[in-house]
Amino acid sequence: MSWSATVLTLFPQMFPGPLGVSLAGRALREGIWSCEARDIRAHALDRHRTVDDTPFGGGAGMVMRPDVVDTAIAAAMPAGDARPLIYLTPRGRLLDQKLVQQLAAGAGVVMLCGRYEGVDQRVIEARGMMEVSIGDYVLSGGELAALTLLDACVRLLPGVMGAAESAVEESHSAGMLEYAQYTRPAEWQGRAVPQVLLSGHHAEVARWRRQQSEAVTRERRPDLWTRMQVAGGGAAA
Ligand code: ADE
């Protein structure tokens, strides 16, 4: 059984989008994962195909109706569907590599993409959705967030990435940022590659990379660095 993604959206033509090429695209064609985009508007209840309405209490924008969204979900999820139902919203918990790993290890995901001012909170609660944000900025809809979440999950599926170890060493999987990388030429525009990387001393290279990783994490992401210290995972400050 392949890892299966179902996306509920007003813009199904946005899927698989960029995930139809490169690593994810090849995995899609190989059947390692599947991507079904479903048009929420197909479940509108009136002949005008209305999916949204003005917010109670006033304010700008439009809110997606709970009845239409619920009908769309019911049609997308067969009875006993074990996949988590995720609503992409800037109000959600932040997506991180740990959640990505958990989702990639499961059967797949069902994702609801909002447009306008969002989705009526009652259907989010009634369906027990997990509300997820991809970062502290506001997109014009959940679709790019859903694509981001999918990309992060799909690359972790067995058979998608080439070198198995590249998922282990990279940024965030150990709660730290990754060390800098270099390739040929060894000197470029007067800039030399750090000598240790040319030394062939594997232990020295590993030590240099760990130091690099720590330095860049401390400087750029003091929040991650502090968490590593509390967890006892990093070297002494
Ligand atoms: N929809 C709009 N902005 C978003 C964000 N930052 N994360 C997830 N979904 C969103």
Side-chain angles (χ1 to χ4, degrees), residues 88-90 132-135 137-139 141-142 145:
L88 284 317
T89 167
V132 174
S133 166
I134 63 161
Y137 40 81
V138 181
L139 304 169

Side-chain angles (χ1 to χ4, degrees), residues 62-111:
M62 300 290 271
V63 178
M64 286 169 73
R65 291 173 56 113
D67 47 2
V68 175
V69 169
D70 189 64
T71 308
I73 292 168
M77 298 183 79
D81 193 328
R83 296 172 298 169
L85 175 55
I86 294 173
Y87 170 47
L88 284 317
T89 167
R91 285 172 31 105
R93 59 152 287 185
L94 271 182
L95 180 65
D96 59 16
Q97 192 64 16
K98 191 169 162 213
L99 178 57
V100 167
Q101 282 163 353
Q102 284 168 7
L103 294 172
V109 286
V110 181
M111 289 182 290

